[in-house]
C-alpha cells in the first residue's frame, strides 16, 4: 500500500475527530506564535544591557515570562487535543476493523491466523496510536515554528537566512534516504509481530494438547525461531532509523556554527548588533528543532505507517456482497424443504471436493450425514448456511435458491450445535439466550431442562447467574456442550444442524439428549453429522458420503441390507464389541 494512500485514509479518520483536530491546530498556532516572539525580545534585552536601563530590562523579563508561560499553557492544551485526536482516531479504526471482520466471508477467518487478526486490532492499533501521538504534536507545532522562524530570520538577515536554507535540504535528503530504506524493515517487523502473536495464541489455547503430546520443546523452539526473526527485523529497523537523528543534527550543528561565524563578521562591520545575532541564532535553532524532533521519532513513525498499512489492508478487503435486493424470509413461514441440485464446491480450485451432489431433504425429516473424515460432511453445513458459496449447481429452500435469500434471513431459519463449543464471558443465562436475548427466564429454564443442563446449572453457586469465564474454562467439555444445545433448543427454528453435537458427553447423557433432540426435531428438517452411528439409526435418511459425493443413502435398515460402504462403517464400530 502506498504511503500517500495510507496517509489519505488516516486523514479521513482524523477528520471525524474534528473538534480535537481544530483545537490542536488553534493551540499550536497560539503556542508557536508566542514562542516565536521570545528570541526577538531576548535580543532586544541584550542590546539594552549596556545602557544600564534596568527598568527596561525588567520590563522585557516580565514580558518574556508572560510570553513563555502562555506558550507553555497553550502547548499543554495542544497536547490534550492531540492525545484526544490520536486515541479517538485509533478507537474509530479499531471499531471499523471489528465491524469489517463481521462482514468478511468466513473463508477469510478460516485462512488467516487468529493471532494475526488479533494483532491488527490490538498491537497494530496501539503502535499506530503511539506514532500519531509522537508525530501529530510535532507536525502542528513544527509547521508554525518553521514558518515563523523563517520569517523572523528573513527580516533580521536575508543573507544568513539564505545560507541556512541552502544547508537545510541536506537534512531532508538524509532523512528521506534513511527512511526509504528502513520502511521495509518496519513492514517485516509488523508482520513478524502478527505471526508471533498468532503462534502464541494457538499454543496457549491448545496447551493441554501441547503438553499431552510432549510438544513443549518443539513449541519453545518454534517460538524462539520466530522471536529471533522478530528481534533481527526490529534491530535492523531501529538501527537504520536511529541513523537519521544524529546525521541531521550534525548537519544542523554545522549550519549553526556557520551562522555564528557569519554573524560575527556582520557585527564587526556594524551591520548587526550582538542582540540580533543572538536572536538569529535562536531562530536558526528553532528552525532546525522540529526537523530534528521529527527525525528523532522516525522509528515510531515508520512503525506506525507499517501498522496502518496492515490495518487499512484489513479494512480494504472486499466484504460479503450487499444483499439489499435479495428477499427476506420469516422462519415461521419456512417448511424446511431442502434440495441440493448438481451442487459442486471446492475450497481450492485445483482440488475439487464436492462434485455433482444432488439430494432432497423433505420437510420435517431427519437427515443424517456420515462418512470418513474429509468426505465433505461439514462442508455441506457451510454451504447450507452460506458460509461458503457453491461453485456450481443450486441449493433450494422451499423452492427458492438460497443465493436469492439474504444471508442473515437464511441463517435465522437454522439453529446449530457444533462439535467445537463456543461460549463467551458472561452469565449462563446470557449464553443460553445468545440467539434470543429477549427470552424470558421461564423459556431459558425450559430450554436448559430439555438439554439436560438444568441440574448442573442448579448446582452452581449462582445458578443461571453464574459467570462463565472466557471460553467456558470453568466448565467441563460436556457441560459446555449441553449449554450450546440449550442455546439451540431455545430458538425453536424450522431447521436444525447438529455437527457431532453429542461428541463430548457421556453415553447416558447422550441417550437423554437424543430423546430431547427427537422431540426438538419433530416437525423440523434436521441435518445430523455423526461419527457415532448409534446416534442416527432412527434417521429418516442416512446420507453416506465419501470424497465429496453421495455413495449411498437410505434408512439404516436399508443400508445394512445393501452391505455396502455404510455397512462397512457400521461394522467397524460395532463388530468388535459384538464379537467380544
Amino acid at each position: 500500500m502506498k504511503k500517500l494512500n495510507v496517509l489519505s485514509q488516516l486523514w479521513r479518520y482524523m477528520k471525524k475527530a474534528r473538534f480535537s483536530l481544530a483545537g490542536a491546530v488553534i493551540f499550536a498556532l497560539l503556542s508557536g506564535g508566542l514562542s516565536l516572539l521570545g528570541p526577538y525580545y531576548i535580543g532586544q534585552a541584550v542590546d539594552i544591557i549596556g545602557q544600564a536601563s534596568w527598568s527596561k530590562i525588567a520590563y522585557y523579563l516580565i514580558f518574556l515570562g508572560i510570553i513563555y508561560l502562555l506558550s507553555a499553557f497553550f502547548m499543554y492544551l495542544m497536547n490534550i487535543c492531540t492525545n484526544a485526536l490520536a486515541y479517538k482516531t485509533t478507537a474509530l479504526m479499531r471499531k471499523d476493523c471489528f465491524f469489517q471482520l463481521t462482514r468478511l466471508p468466513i473463508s477469510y477467518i478460516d485462512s488467516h491466523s487468529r493471532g494475526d487478526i488479533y494483532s491488527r486490532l490490538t498491537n497494530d492499533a496501539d503502535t499506530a496510536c503511539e506514532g500519531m501521538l509522537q508525530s501529530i504534536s510535532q507536525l502542528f507545532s513544527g509547521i508554525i515554528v518553521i514558518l515563523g522562524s523563517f520569517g523572523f530570520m528573513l527580516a533580521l538577515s536575508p543573507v544568513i537566512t539564505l545560507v541556512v536554507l541552502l544547508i537545510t535540504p541536506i537534512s531532508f535528503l538524509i532523512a528521506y534516504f534513511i527512511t526509504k530504506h528502513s520502511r521495509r524493515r518496519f513492514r517485516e517487523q509488523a508482520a513478524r509481530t502478527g505471526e508471533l502473536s498468532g503462534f502464541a495464541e494457538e499454543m496457549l489455547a491448545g496447551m493441554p494438547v501441547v503438553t499431552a503430546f510432549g510438544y513443549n520443546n518443539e513449541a519453545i523452539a518454534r517460538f524462539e525461531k520466530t522471536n529471533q526473526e522478530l528481534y533481527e527485523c526490529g534491530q535492523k529497523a531501529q538501527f537504520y532509523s536511529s541513523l537519521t537523528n544524529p546525521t541531521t543534527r550534525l548537519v544542523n550543528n554545522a549550519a549553526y556554527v556557520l551562522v555564528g561565524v557569519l554573524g560575527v563578521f556582520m557585527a564587526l562591520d556594524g551591520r548587526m548588533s550582538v542582540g540580533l545575532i543572538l536572536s538569529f541564532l535562536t531562530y536558526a535553532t528553532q528552525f532546525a528543532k522540529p526537523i530534528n524532533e521529527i527525525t528523532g521519532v522516525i522509528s515510531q513513525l515508520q512503525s506506525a505507517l507499517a501498522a496502518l498499512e496492515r490495518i487499512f489492508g484489513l479494512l480494504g478487503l472486499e466484504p460479503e456482497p450487499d444483499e439489499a435486493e435479495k428477499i427476506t424470509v420469516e422462519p415461521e413461514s419456512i417448511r424446511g424443504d431442502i434440495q441440493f441440485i448438481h451442487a459442486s464446491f471446492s475450497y481450492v480450485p485445483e482440488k475439487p471436493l464436492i462434485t455433482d451432489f444432488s439430494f432432497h431433504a423433505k420437510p420435517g425429516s431427519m437427515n443424517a450425514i456420515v462418512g470418513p473424515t474429509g468426505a465433505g460432511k461439514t462442508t455441506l453445513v457451510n454451504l447450507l448456511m452460506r458460509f461458503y458459496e457453491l461453485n456450481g449447481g443450486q441449493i433450494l429452500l422451499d423452492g427458492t435458491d438460497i443465493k436469492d435469500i439474504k444471508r442473515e434471513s437464511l441463517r435465522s431459519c437454522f439453529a446449530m450445535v457444533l462439535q467445537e463449543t463456543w461460549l463467551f464471558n458472561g452469565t449462563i443465562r446470557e449464553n443460553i439466550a445468545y440467539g434470543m436475548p429477549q427470552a424470558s427466564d421461564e423459556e431459558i429454564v425450559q430450554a436448559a431442562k430439555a438439554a439436560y443442563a438444568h441440574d448442573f446449572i442448579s448446582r452452581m453457586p449462582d445458578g443461571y447467574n453464574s459467570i462463565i469465564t472466557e471460553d467456558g474454562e470453568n466448565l467441563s467439555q460436556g457441560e459446555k456442550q449441553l449449554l450450546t444445545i440449550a442455546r439451540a433448543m431455545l430458538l425453536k427454528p424450522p431447521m436444525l444442524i447438529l455437527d457431532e453435537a453429542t461428541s463430548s458427553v457421556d453415553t447416558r447423557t447422550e441417550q437423554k439428549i437424543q430423546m430431547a433432540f427427537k422431540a426438538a426435531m419433530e416437525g423440523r428438517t434436521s441435518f445430523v453429522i455423526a461419527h457415532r452411528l448409534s446416534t442416527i439409526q432412527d434417521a429418516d435418511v442416512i446420507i453416506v458420503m465419501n470424497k465429496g459425493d453421495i455413495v449411498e443413502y437410505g434408512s439404516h435398515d436399508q443400508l445394512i441390507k445393501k452391505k455396502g460402504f455404510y455397512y462397512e462403517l457400521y461394522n467397524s464400530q460395532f463388530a468388535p464389541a459384538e464379537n467380544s
Side-chain angles (χ1 to χ4, degrees), residues 192-428:
R192 288 288 181 271
T193 301
E195 184 180 338
L196 189 67
S197 298
F199 179 75
E201 190 271 336
E202 288 174 356
M203 291 300 102
L204 289 173
M207 189 55 70
V209 177
V210 172
T211 304
F213 281 84
Y215 191 76
N216 303 67
N217 292 333
E218 287 82 356
I220 293 170
R222 282 187 61 187
F223 183 89
E224 287 180 347
K225 180 177 179 294
T226 307
N227 193 41
Q228 181 64 25
E229 291 173 351
L230 174 60
Y231 164 74
E232 291 174 0
C233 287
Q235 186 183 47
K236 291 176 181 178
Q238 295 297 330
F239 173 76
Y240 282 114
S241 64
S242 64
L243 293 174
T244 311
N245 196 30
T247 51
T248 53
R249 285 184 181 275
L250 178 63
V251 173
N252 291 330
N253 287 334
Y256 191 81
V257 172
L258 187 56
V259 167
V261 172
L262 290 174
V264 169
F265 281 114
M266 293 182 73
L268 293 174
D269 290 341
R271 287 184 289 172
M272 288 188 75
S273 65
V274 175
L276 288 180
I277 294 174
L278 178 61
S279 295
F280 197 98
L281 287 171
T282 306
Y283 282 123
T285 303
Q286 286 190 337
F287 182 78
K289 183 181 177 183
I291 301 172
N292 291 333
E293 289 177 341
I294 291 174
T295 56
V297 295
I298 200 71
S299 60
Q300 288 94 330
L301 295 178
Q302 291 292 352
S303 294
L305 284 173
L308 287 169
E309 283 183 358
R310 285 166 50 80
I311 291 171
F312 293 137
L314 173 62
L315 292 173
L317 293 173
E318 190 67 30
E320 289 185 320
D322 180 64
E323 298 188 315
E325 301 300 322
K326 297 190 176 182
I327 63 174
T328 300
V329 295
E330 296 296 334
E332 297 80 10
S333 64
I334 295 298
R335 294 185 298 113
D337 188 286
I338 297 287
Q339 293 184 67
F340 287 83
I341 303 176
H342 302 296
S344 62
F345 174 77
S346 63
Y347 292 104
V348 182
E350 59 271 17
K351 295 182 180 179
L353 177 60
I354 293 177
T355 58
D356 198 24
F357 180 90
S358 296
F359 176 74
H360 184 197
K362 296 179 180 179
S365 62
M366 175 185 175
N367 305 274
I369 307 172
V370 301
T373 301
K377 303 185 297 297
T378 301
T379 300
L380 287 184
V381 172
N382 290 335
L383 295 174
L384 268 177
M385 298 290 286
R386 288 189 66 195
F387 292 154
Y388 290 83
E389 300 289 358
L390 287 172
N391 298 136
Q394 290 179 300
I395 300 176
L396 305 182
L397 172 59
D398 290 352
T400 302
D401 194 325
I402 63 172
K403 286 186 177 180
D404 298 326
I405 303 173
K406 292 181 178 179
R407 291 185 186 85
E408 183 178 352
S409 178
L410 172 70
R411 292 164 186 168
S412 69
C413 299
F414 290 89
M416 294 182 68
V417 180
L418 304 178
Q419 180 179 6
E420 184 178 348
T421 59
W422 178 82
L423 299 170
F424 60 90
N425 191 348
T427 65
I428 289 178

Side-chain angles (χ1 to χ4, degrees), residues 302-558:
Q302 291 292 352
S303 294
L305 284 173
L308 287 169
E309 283 183 358
R310 285 166 50 80
I311 291 171
F312 293 137
L314 173 62
L315 292 173
L317 293 173
E318 190 67 30
E320 289 185 320
D322 180 64
E323 298 188 315
E325 301 300 322
K326 297 190 176 182
I327 63 174
T328 300
V329 295
E330 296 296 334
E332 297 80 10
S333 64
I334 295 298
R335 294 185 298 113
D337 188 286
I338 297 287
Q339 293 184 67
F340 287 83
I341 303 176
H342 302 296
S344 62
F345 174 77
S346 63
Y347 292 104
V348 182
E350 59 271 17
K351 295 182 180 179
L353 177 60
I354 293 177
T355 58
D356 198 24
F357 180 90
S358 296
F359 176 74
H360 184 197
K362 296 179 180 179
S365 62
M366 175 185 175
N367 305 274
I369 307 172
V370 301
T373 301
K377 303 185 297 297
T378 301
T379 300
L380 287 184
V381 172
N382 290 335
L383 295 174
L384 268 177
M385 298 290 286
R386 288 189 66 195
F387 292 154
Y388 290 83
E389 300 289 358
L390 287 172
N391 298 136
Q394 290 179 300
I395 300 176
L396 305 182
L397 172 59
D398 290 352
T400 302
D401 194 325
I402 63 172
K403 286 186 177 180
D404 298 326
I405 303 173
K406 292 181 178 179
R407 291 185 186 85
E408 183 178 352
S409 178
L410 172 70
R411 292 164 186 168
S412 69
C413 299
F414 290 89
M416 294 182 68
V417 180
L418 304 178
Q419 180 179 6
E420 184 178 348
T421 59
W422 178 82
L423 299 170
F424 60 90
N425 191 348
T427 65
I428 289 178
R429 184 187 311 277
E430 291 168 341
N431 272 273
I432 294 176
Y434 184 73
M436 191 177 171
Q438 71 279 12
S440 65
D441 289 348
E442 182 180 354
E443 290 173 319
I444 292 171
V445 172
Q446 286 178 350
K449 286 181 177 178
Y452 294 91
H454 179 72
D455 288 344
F456 89 81
I457 294 173
S458 300
R459 291 194 298 269
M460 296 188 74
D462 297 315
Y464 285 83
N465 292 318
S466 299
I467 298 295
I468 297 176
T469 57
E470 186 177 356
D471 201 28
E473 295 298 330
N474 57 337
L475 299 175
S476 70
Q477 187 63 31
E479 289 171 340
K480 290 192 288 185
Q481 193 74 289
L482 291 174
L483 290 182
T484 61
I485 294 169
R487 178 192 293 165
M489 288 186 167
L490 179 64
L491 294 176
K492 300 179 181 177
M495 292 173 287
L496 289 171
I497 295 175
L498 311 174
D499 188 351
E500 292 295 322
T502 60
S503 61
S504 299
V505 298
D506 59 81
T507 305
R508 183 176 180 181
T509 304
E510 179 186 50
Q511 292 173 350
K512 294 180 179 179
I513 292 175
Q514 291 301 326
M515 294 172 59
F517 274 148
K518 188 173 182 179
M521 289 186 291
E522 188 174 348
R524 295 182 174 86
T525 308
S526 57
F527 294 87
V528 182
I529 298 174
H531 284 299
R532 295 183 189 176
L533 301 186
S534 61
T535 64
I536 46 90
Q537 292 183 19
D538 294 333
D540 296 306
V541 179
I542 299 174
I543 307 166
V544 186
M545 296 189 67
N546 189 30
K547 298 180 180 179
D549 292 319
I550 295 179
V551 294
E552 293 176 328
Y553 70 90
S555 67
H556 171 74
D557 292 337
Q558 290 171 338

